[in-house]
Amino acid sequence: MAFRSGRHFLQIPGPTNVPDRVLRAIDCPTMDHRGPEFGHLGMEIIEDLRYVFQTQQPVVIYPASGTGAWEAALVNTLSPGDRVLMVETGHFASLWRKMAVKFGVEVELIATDWRHGADPAAIEARLREDKAHAIKAVCVVHNETSTGVTSRIPLIRGALDAASHPALFMVDTISSLASIDYRHDEWGVDVTVAGSQKGLMLPPGLSFNAVSEKARRAGEKSKLPKSYWDWKEMIAANKTGYFPYTPATNLLYGLREAIQMLKDEGLHGVFARHARHAEATRRAVRAWGLEILCANPEEYSNTLTAVMMPAGHDADALRRTILDAYDMSLGTGLGRLAGKVFRIGHLGDFNDLSLAGTLAGVEMGLALAGVPHQQGGAQAAMQYLIECQREPAKQRVAA
Ligand SMILES: *Cc1c(COP(=O)(O)O)cnc(C)c1O
């Protein structure tokens, strides 16, 4: 590897850049997780996480990647043979579906073209047909990280309500929590799945379930085997700030610091910043003459933008050029989008100049790789960022 000066630009949509404050918080001696000091840390974090999920319900923390929290959501609520309704919004939604199938859950799938989010009308229509209430849960990915499309969770809640259907509502917020407005309680979600390494600005290794009272009641009857993921033991131990098995102590130090940063900025400010950077990015893409994968402006993601390559050009060749020349990582196309799109992550510990640098790197890479485009994308984004500084009220704030 050639020597590289300066900082690497990690502009994939997770894991994201970890702020120095968080790195320093993690860099501490590991404490006794059964000792008195740990109980205080545990209580503080368990309480403060509710702010991030906008909930008064318990939030369970696992030493696991996001995939573990998917599994926890399923095994704590369902029984073999249960029917669930899922929407295939992209690669991550299909992975969650695959997992459910492995557990012997019957998955009904609503397909999409991977350019739109979950359609509330289609969900409502399916639930209305299910007069016998065979469907036990509706599972949706809030922000589909493979496509840059954000499903409208309040409208989907509305679909369940309009159909008067008692199914549990489970939502994957792994790439939206702490970046895009998300309200576990107000939006009537039963299980929220989240991870540490995206909007929460931590290294990979923690994941979460926020759990409604209704989900816990469903858990009483659920027959899928569970031990490591069992909410009951977690929630019982968490009452005093402890965990049933060794928690990821040092990541929890980081989590405490990350939550403090989110509080310092305020969730509203965090959401507005992500909305601003997403809008600036889309202006750059349009100025380049390239196409945004998300086809519905109401569903644009504020944490990443997936950009379609002109026909005959390989997204991974462009990514390679940008990595080699400018030491920047961009997200690859996943599943059926392999080679066809690249993804710009604009989430987490990020500011106007990090975005300007990111977009400059993409624009220089497009030129270097010989991808047909127009110059001026980074300039268009900068112009928008200037306008936002002059007139903050003009910013497109998250819905
Ligand atoms: C990253 C991501 C996952 C997978 O999380 P891991 O930590 O890799 O297990 C699942 N869903 C979404 C929406 C994601 O962005």
Side-chain angles (χ1 to χ4, degrees):
M1 280 282 278
F3 174 79
R4 297 183 180 287
S5 64
R7 282 220 179 189
H8 176 68
F9 268 61
L10 182 66
Q11 295 321 134
I12 60 176
T16 63
N17 296 287
V18 180
D20 292 349
R21 261 176 79 172
V22 171
L23 288 174
R24 281 196 292 268
I26 292 170
D27 181 14
C28 277
T30 299
M31 68 166 87
D32 171 11
H33 66 284
R34 310 258 183 227
E37 206 188 326
F38 187 88
H40 295 296
L41 172 74
M43 291 298 273
E44 187 184 340
I45 289 172
I46 288 160
E47 185 53 42
D48 284 354
L49 267 178
R50 295 185 179 166
Y51 169 74
V52 181
F53 286 81
Q54 304 195 53
T55 185
Q56 296 306 315
Q57 308 294 322
V59 181
V60 172
I61 310 172
Y62 296 109
S65 85
T67 302
W70 267 350
E71 181 163 336
L74 299 177
V75 299
N76 275 289
T77 55
L78 300 172
S79 300
D82 274 357
R83 187 168 287 271
V84 304
L85 183 62
M86 291 183 151
V87 184
E88 201 216 13
T89 46
H91 184 69
F92 288 101
S94 28
L95 290 179
W96 200 8
R97 171 184 161 269
K98 249 192 216 161
M99 176 189 274
V101 170
K102 282 186 196 162
F103 279 113
V105 168
E106 294 281 329
V107 179
E108 269 193 44
L109 195 66
I110 298 178
T112 77
D113 60 0
W114 287 34
R115 300 190 68 178
H116 291 81
D119 177 6
I123 293 173
E124 183 181 332
R126 182 60 198 100
L127 293 177
R128 280 186 189 279
E129 280 168 25
D130 180 35
K131 300 250 183 318
H133 297 164
I135 295 170
K136 297 301 175 207
V138 175
C139 302
V140 172
V141 174
H142 181 208
N143 185 70
E144 178 52 74
T145 322
S146 61
T147 61
V149 178
T150 306
S151 289
R152 291 161 294 173
I153 300 303
L155 300 191
I156 299 170
R157 175 71 253 172
L160 274 98
D161 293 344
S164 302
H165 199 289
L168 294 170
F169 188 23
M170 309 215 239
V171 181
D172 169 349
T173 65
I174 296 178
S175 65
S176 54
L177 189 86
S179 307
I180 300 172
D181 194 9
Y182 180 80
R183 308 174 188 189
H184 177 84
D185 286 359
E186 190 184 320
W187 296 352
V189 180
D190 293 299
V191 186
T192 296
V193 174
S196 57
Q197 75 273 29
K198 299 180 188 181
L200 281 173
M201 307 176 287
L202 292 162
L206 291 180
S207 56
F208 310 88
N209 277 176
V211 181
S212 76
E213 189 55 47
K214 182 174 159 187
R216 288 170 73 185
R217 278 200 308 275
E220 299 297 325
K221 285 179 286 171
S222 124
K223 295 204 175 54
L224 281 176
K226 53 193 143 297
S227 167
Y228 185 82
W229 305 113
D230 197 336
W231 289 336
K232 253 189 283 169
E233 288 172 39
M234 271 286 185
I235 292 171
N238 283 177
K239 287 210 166 72
T240 49
Y242 293 91
F243 291 79
Y245 43 77
T246 316
T249 318
N250 289 55
L251 287 176
L252 295 179
Y253 300 155
L255 178 57
R256 175 169 56 184
E257 191 66 20
I259 297 173
Q260 189 56 55
M261 290 178 71
L262 293 169
K263 284 182 161 180
D264 290 348
E265 186 173 6
L267 281 185
H268 188 77
V270 172
F271 301 149
R273 169 167 58 83
H274 282 80
R276 177 172 84 243
H277 291 151
E279 174 62 22
T281 303
R282 292 189 292 266
R283 289 182 184 214
V285 175
R286 291 190 198 106
W288 290 324
L290 299 179
E291 197 175 341
I292 297 164
L293 180 66
C294 178
N296 178 4
E298 307 256 289
E299 296 175 316
Y300 281 146
S301 168
N302 284 343
T303 58
L304 76 134
T305 303
V307 183
M308 295 168 76
M309 290 296 283
H313 292 267
D314 176 21
D316 288 333
L318 170 68
R319 289 176 51 254
R320 181 85 227 182
T321 299
I322 292 173
L323 179 62
D324 288 348
Y326 303 115
D327 197 20
M328 175 162 72
S329 297
L330 296 171
T332 187
L334 294 169
R336 67 166 83 147
L337 296 172
K340 297 196 172 76
V341 305
F342 64 92
R343 295 171 300 142
I344 305 171
H346 33 75
L347 73 162
D349 186 38
F350 202 62
N351 61 26
D352 285 9
L353 292 190
S354 15
L355 182 67
T358 299
L359 296 174
V362 175
E363 188 158 336
M364 289 190 287
L366 289 167
L368 206 54
V371 178
H373 71 288
Q374 278 124 48
Q375 288 185 338
Q379 185 62 46
M382 285 157 60
Q383 195 52 48
Y384 177 70
L385 296 176
I386 294 166
E387 283 168 30
C388 290
Q389 282 291 338
R390 281 209 186 107
E391 282 182 81
K394 269 178 72 177
Q395 284 188 41
R396 229 183 71 104
V397 174

